């Protein structure tokens, strides 16, 4: 369903992206923001699911600023490498990648963002800095940005068993952003990732349904 494209940046280089398009008229466009493991098979599958639901979806390869084509599996070694890469990359270039990706699919209509883990925090920043209606899954780096004014709504999903996001962190979201939809699930971090032991299907399906309702309202005007 998808294809590889290149996106311009503010510098001289381009970064890659995975693009998936629906059949027929698009309901809007969604930028899919990776975890710390790059635009791997799981992230591409998310873009494909969005295309099947009627959206143009694009997943920018944020790590291309540093190293082309980073795509990792899930283990302790790749987790350490992914954490090092996102630290080196920083949030400014990640948000720039989202902005470039959003511009690349502007013809689809209204554009939103959907991010997971590290990408969940980038999705929050996309709402703050770019005005994109966003869905943020288990963003453990959100707290420093909760004081910044939103330019678009955000929906948050958290796992109640996620040790990286304890209940007091979720409570801070509700305190600082009482007007936003904030949901918790009886699941661990990465409960949406249908690869590995952390996947929790009931939570993943419910969160996905809520996310699709959010985008139907914010992008498709349903």
């Amino acid at each position: 369903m998808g294809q590889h494209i290149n996106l311009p940046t503010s510098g001289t280089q381009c970064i890659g992206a995975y693009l998936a398009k629906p059949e027929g008229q698009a309901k809007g466009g969604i930028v899919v923001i990776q975890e710390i493991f790059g635009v791997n098979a799981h992230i591409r599958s998310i873009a494909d699911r969005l295309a099947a639901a009627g959206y143009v979806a694009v997943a920018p390869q944020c790590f291309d600023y540093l190293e082309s084509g980073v795509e990792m599996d899930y283990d302790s070694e790749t987790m350490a490498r992914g954490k090092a890469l996102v630290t080196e990359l920083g949030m400014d270039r990640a948000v720039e990648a989202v902005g470039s990706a959003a511009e690349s699919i502007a013809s689809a209509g209204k554009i939103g963002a959907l991010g997971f883990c590290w990408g969940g925090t980038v999705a929050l920043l996309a709402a703050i800095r770019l005005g994109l209606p966003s869905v943020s899954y288990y963003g453990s780096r959100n707290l420093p940005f909760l004081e910044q004014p939103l330019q678009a709504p955000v929906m948050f999903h958290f796992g109640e068993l996620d040790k990286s996001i304890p209940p007091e962190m979720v409570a801070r979201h509700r305190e600082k952003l009482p007007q936003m939809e904030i949901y918790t699930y009886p699941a661990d971090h990465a409960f949406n990732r249908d690869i590995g032991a952390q996947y929790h299907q009931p939570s993943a399906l419910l969160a996905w349904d809520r996310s699709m309702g959010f985008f139907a309202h914010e992008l498709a005007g349903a």
Side-chain angles (χ1 to χ4, degrees), residues 30-194:
I30 299 173
V31 180
V32 182
I33 310 170
Q34 64 178 67
E35 305 166 301
I36 64 171
F37 304 98
V39 178
N40 58 14
H42 173 63
I43 296 300
R44 293 193 296 270
S45 75
I46 295 293
D48 289 341
R49 286 178 71 187
L50 292 170
Y55 297 94
V56 176
V58 60
Q61 295 170 193
C62 297
F63 291 161
D64 278 9
Y65 284 99
L66 308 174
E67 181 181 340
S68 296
V70 174
E71 180 178 340
M72 294 183 281
D73 294 324
Y74 306 99
D75 57 43
S76 58
E77 183 177 335
T78 57
M79 183 173 293
R81 184 181 179 214
K83 287 180 178 179
L85 285 169
V86 297
T87 299
E88 183 180 356
L89 178 66
M91 290 299 184
D92 290 345
R93 284 188 287 188
V95 173
E96 179 187 69
V98 173
S100 182
E103 290 178 11
S104 76
I105 57 171
S107 62
K110 194 168 183 181
I111 309 301
L114 170 64
F116 302 87
C117 186
W118 172 78
T121 297
V122 180
L124 170 60
L125 288 172
I128 293 170
R129 300 183 186 179
L130 304 175
L132 301 183
S134 297
V135 174
S136 170
Y137 277 75
Y138 30 81
S140 62
R141 297 165 173 83
N142 292 354
L143 288 189
F145 308 108
L146 295 182
E147 301 281 355
Q148 299 182 18
L150 291 168
Q151 297 188 61
V154 184
M155 175 181 284
F156 296 93
H157 302 297
F158 298 108
E160 294 162 2
L161 307 179
D162 187 345
K163 292 182 175 59
S164 69
I165 308 174
E168 54 268 27
M169 286 180 64
V170 178
R172 287 288 301 278
H173 286 72
R174 291 192 167 118
E175 174 191 344
K176 299 297 183 182
L177 301 172
Q179 72 278 30
M180 296 297 116
E181 294 179 86
I182 300 169
Y183 297 105
T184 63
Y185 304 84
D188 204 340
H189 191 79
F191 66 79
N192 181 74
R193 189 198 303 147
D194 56 357

